[in-house]
């Protein structure tokens, strides 16, 4: 049994959200550079050039990449031999978010759903935990903007709709979003499980590095087919028309009920901010 | 690509010359307002009260910036999705608003009033909040400061990079772009 004090978690969360919001990962920056090369529209190329300049400015001058610094989504893999001491895990995550959003000058974008009153410190965060073997804790910070999150949906398809049904749902969501989720987008798809698991899978799919394919060759092929079809929609960077509408598509799948085919689509903007640490 | 330089207040002759798909550098004064501020504008008008700014000839930027760190004029300040303001825009344009800056498609009703009142809709690049902050010279909250990031802020901008989306000739960059590149 290894003891991990909550103070370590507070400090890790604070740093991760600031880092994620200021420093676009090399993985995303590389994907944007390649997109700039292959984009066929002059306006689209110009937009991607702006995005690359923006990411470099944010990194050099410590300015958030985007003013929508997101709801603080956190995925934690907690080793079953780790013992958290000194307080509650959820309180520690919230405190880390509170400090990071204050000290990092990040926008507080969390409000009461009905009165729309801002909670003032970007809490509560969204906390997903999974118990895994080992005595460490892996934390992934994924600040998620509202513009892209608004084009997510869960649909309970009929099993007979199969692969074609899944693909047409994904394309439907991409076309519905058009320019609004800030293309070039990243598309996360969750297939199977049940109602809530499909949604979670679609968000986990967004955490797969750009350019990486599913281990399952059937799924990998569907990812590439979808990427090709999305890029043929013509939506393009910012929706101004072009040949790069998505940077990548990732699908996560798990078995489901014999009567069901749950599918979820979660869209991420080009400002794909994600950072992780293991403590 | 070629970039047109324009300044506020926008004269009709300048607006007439702008075409969908052009990149412009805007300089002058603009005002931020998003969901909550627009709701208050309309509530004020319905009660017969005056707006906190004279919007005649002005440009509204749909933006809720991140907080300004010490030594900086503003934080990241990219656009938010404009369609959420579609319900309010015809009223604002009827009162003399000349320009809107945001991201995403507008409703047919908004496109119609853009033609009717000779106004213009620009797109700022969504997610380029750091880049856009570099074009802000000064920033001053002028109303609804209790709304935090949704307060109305007067911004002085220099060479703010924008694209013309809806012009007064009825063109729409989103429609034209998809038509051209759809396979």
């Amino acid at each position: 049994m290894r003891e991990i004090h909550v103070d370590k978690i507070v400090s890790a969360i604070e740093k991760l959200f600031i880092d994620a919001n200021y420093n676009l990962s090399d993985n995303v920056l590389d994907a944007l550079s390649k997109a700039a090369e292959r984009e066929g529209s002059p306006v689209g190329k110009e937009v991607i050039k702006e995005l690359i300049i923006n990411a470099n400015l944010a990194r050099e001058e410590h300015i958030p990449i985007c003013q929508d610094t997101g709801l603080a989504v956190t995925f934690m893999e907690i080793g079953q031999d780790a013992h958290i001491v000194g307080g509650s895990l959820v309180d520690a995550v919230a405190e880390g978010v509170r400090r990071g959003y204050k000290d990092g000058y990040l926008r507080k974008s969390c409000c009461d759903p009905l009165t729309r009153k801002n909670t003032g410190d970007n809490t509560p965060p969204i906390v997903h935990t999974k118990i895994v073997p080992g005595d460490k804790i892996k934390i992934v910070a994924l600040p998620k903007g509202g513009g892209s999150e608004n084009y997510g949906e869960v649909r309970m398809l009929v099993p007979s709709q199969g692969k074609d049904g899944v693909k047409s749902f994904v394309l439907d969501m991409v076309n519905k979003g058009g320019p609004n989720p800030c293309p070039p987008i990243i598309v996360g798809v969750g297939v199977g499980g049940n109602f809530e698991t499909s949604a979670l899978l679609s968000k986990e799919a967004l955490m797969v590095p750009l350019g990486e394919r599913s281990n399952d060759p059937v799924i990998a092929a569907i990812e590439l087919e979808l990427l090709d079809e999305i890029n043929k929609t013509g939506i393009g960077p910012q929706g101004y028309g072009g040949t790069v509408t998505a940077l990548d598509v990732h699908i996560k799948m798990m078995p489901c009920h014999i009567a069901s085919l749950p599918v979820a689509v979660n869209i991420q903007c080009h400002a794909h901010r994600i950072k992780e640490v293991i403590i | 690509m070629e970039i047109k330089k324009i300044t506020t207040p926008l004269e009709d002759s300048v607006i007439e010359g702008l075409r969908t798909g052009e990149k412009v550098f805007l300089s002058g004064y603009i005002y931020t307002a998003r969901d909550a501020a627009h709701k208050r504008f309309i509530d004020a008008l319905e009660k017969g009260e005056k707006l906190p700014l004279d919007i005649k000839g002005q440009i509204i930027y749909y933006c809720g910036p991140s907080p300004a760190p010490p030594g900086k004029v503003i934080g990241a300040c990219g656009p938010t999705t404009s369609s959420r303001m579609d319900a309010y825009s015809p009223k604002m344009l009827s009162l003399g608003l000349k320009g809107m800056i945001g991201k995403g498609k507008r409703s047919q009703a908004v496109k119609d009033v853009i033609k009717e009142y000779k106004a213009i809709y620009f797109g700022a690049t969504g997610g380029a909040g750091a880049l856009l902050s570099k074009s802000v010279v000064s920033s001053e909250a002028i109303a609804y400061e209790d709304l935090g990031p949704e307060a109305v802020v007067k911004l002085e901008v220099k060479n703010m990079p924008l694209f013309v989306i809806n012009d007064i000739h009825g063109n729409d960059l989103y429609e034209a772009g998809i038509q051209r590149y759809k396979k």
Side-chain angles (χ1 to χ4, degrees):
Chain A
M1 186 73 76
R2 174 172 168 252
E3 289 198 342
I4 298 176
H5 198 278
V6 285
D7 287 353
K8 273 194 172 164
I9 296 168
V10 173
S11 149
I13 293 276
E14 175 184 359
K15 287 193 189 111
L16 283 176
F17 277 101
I18 294 176
D19 183 17
N21 272 299
Y22 290 177
N23 304 308
L24 197 65
S25 68
D26 290 341
N27 177 243
V28 180
L29 209 45
D30 285 351
L32 286 173
S33 300
K34 284 179 193 146
E37 281 168 30
R38 68 175 188 276
E39 173 53 57
S41 141
V43 174
K45 248 188 203 317
E46 187 75 10
V47 166
I48 301 173
K49 265 167 58 188
E50 284 191 5
L51 298 180
I52 294 169
I53 296 170
N54 182 69
N56 291 329
L57 264 173
R59 181 185 294 269
E60 287 158 16
E61 298 203 19
H62 302 289
I63 308 168
I65 294 157
C66 175
Q67 75 289 340
D68 185 350
T69 52
L71 274 192
V73 181
T74 314
F75 283 87
M76 306 181 94
E77 287 180 12
I78 301 169
Q80 61 193 19
D81 295 322
H83 180 211
I84 296 160
V85 296
S88 117
L89 171 69
V90 174
D91 289 350
V93 176
E95 183 56 24
V97 167
R98 196 172 286 124
R99 289 187 197 174
Y101 277 73
K102 180 171 179 284
D103 298 344
Y105 298 92
L106 307 180
R107 198 181 75 183
K108 289 80 184 167
S109 309
C110 186
C111 72
D112 180 288
L114 298 180
T115 66
R116 309 307 294 175
K117 187 174 164 28
N118 200 299
T119 63
D121 57 6
N122 221 47
T123 69
I126 311 282
V127 184
H128 300 291
T129 55
K130 204 183 266 180
I131 305 295
V132 299
D135 61 2
K136 296 189 167 62
I137 299 180
K138 178 180 164 186
I139 307 174
V140 180
L142 182 75
K144 185 75 167 64
S148 59
E149 192 72 357
N150 282 344
Y151 291 91
E153 211 169 283
V154 174
R155 260 184 222 174
M156 303 303 283
L157 301 187
V158 177
S160 64
Q161 288 179 274
K163 172 186 153 185
D164 288 346
V166 172
K167 283 177 65 180
S168 86
F169 173 35
V170 174
L171 282 164
D172 191 23
M173 291 307 294
V174 170
N175 283 314
K176 192 172 156 193
N180 293 358
C182 280
I185 53 173
I186 299 151
V187 184
V189 186
V191 181
N194 60 1
F195 183 81
E196 79 276 9
T197 314
S198 64
L200 195 54
L201 285 174
S202 71
K203 183 136 286 158
E204 285 176 1
L206 293 179
M207 302 198 289
V208 177
L210 302 180
E212 198 173 296
R213 293 275 66 83
S214 168
N215 291 329
D216 180 335
V218 175
I219 299 301
I222 302 174
E223 288 175 341
L224 290 175
E225 282 170 35
L226 270 170
L227 183 59
D228 183 54
E229 285 169 41
I230 289 168
N231 285 333
K232 283 181 178 156
T233 58
I235 293 169
Q238 285 296 303
Y240 297 161
T243 55
V244 183
T245 299
L247 296 174
D248 214 341
V249 178
H250 296 297
I251 302 174
K252 290 254 183 197
M253 193 163 86
M254 70 181 289
C256 60
H257 193 280
I258 51 173
S260 309
L261 175 48
V263 186
V265 176
N266 193 199
I267 291 181
Q268 172 68 305
C269 59
H270 59 73
H272 177 39
R273 292 150 289 176
I274 181 167
K275 286 288 155 86
E276 65 174 64
V277 72
I278 295 171
I279 53 176
Chain B
M1 66 187 294
E2 199 189 323
I3 300 171
K4 264 189 188 175
K5 290 199 171 194
I6 56 173
T7 50
T8 67
L10 290 181
E11 304 288 339
D12 278 0
S13 59
V14 172
I15 291 178
E16 280 163 15
L18 295 173
R19 291 289 187 285
T20 286
E22 285 179 329
K23 184 169 181 175
V24 301
F25 274 166
L26 176 73
S27 298
Y29 291 96
I30 60 175
Y31 295 84
T32 69
R34 48 175 291 161
D35 310 55
H38 274 82
K39 187 166 187 314
R40 285 202 191 171
F41 287 160
I42 299 300
D43 288 349
L45 291 169
E46 279 173 1
K47 282 188 219 152
E49 294 167 5
K50 274 177 74 175
L51 294 182
L53 70 152
D54 180 7
I55 61 163
K56 225 172 163 40
Q58 303 297 348
I59 298 176
I60 284 185
Y61 182 22
Y62 305 136
C63 171
S66 62
K72 290 210 162 72
V73 172
I74 198 165
C77 56
T80 194
T81 303
S82 309
S83 59
R84 295 195 313 271
M85 269 56 76
D86 281 353
Y88 311 114
S89 296
K91 182 70 189 170
M92 302 299 286
L93 265 66
S94 77
L95 294 172
L97 183 71
K98 271 296 188 185
M100 297 163 286
I101 305 170
K103 69 177 174 91
K105 291 175 195 169
R106 307 310 303 263
S107 66
Q108 192 55 49
V110 175
K111 291 190 230 176
D112 290 345
V113 287
I114 284 172
K115 275 173 83 171
E116 185 181 345
Y117 296 112
K118 268 198 184 166
I120 193 91
Y121 173 49
F122 296 111
T125 298
L131 173 69
L132 287 156
S133 78
K134 301 301 282 181
S135 51
V136 178
V137 180
S138 71
S139 148
E140 180 199 357
I142 60 151
Y144 311 153
E145 283 188 72
D146 60 299
L147 294 178
E150 297 205 51
V152 177
V153 179
K154 183 179 184 180
L155 300 178
E156 184 184 357
V157 294
K158 192 167 180 219
N159 292 335
M160 182 184 193
L162 304 172
F163 291 88
V164 178
I165 297 182
N166 292 105
D167 62 24
I168 59 163
H169 311 285
N171 300 308
D172 183 324
L173 181 56
Y174 298 123
E175 286 169 12
I178 281 198
Q179 266 172 23
R180 175 136 188 230
Y181 291 98
K182 190 174 179 164
K183 285 176 195 161

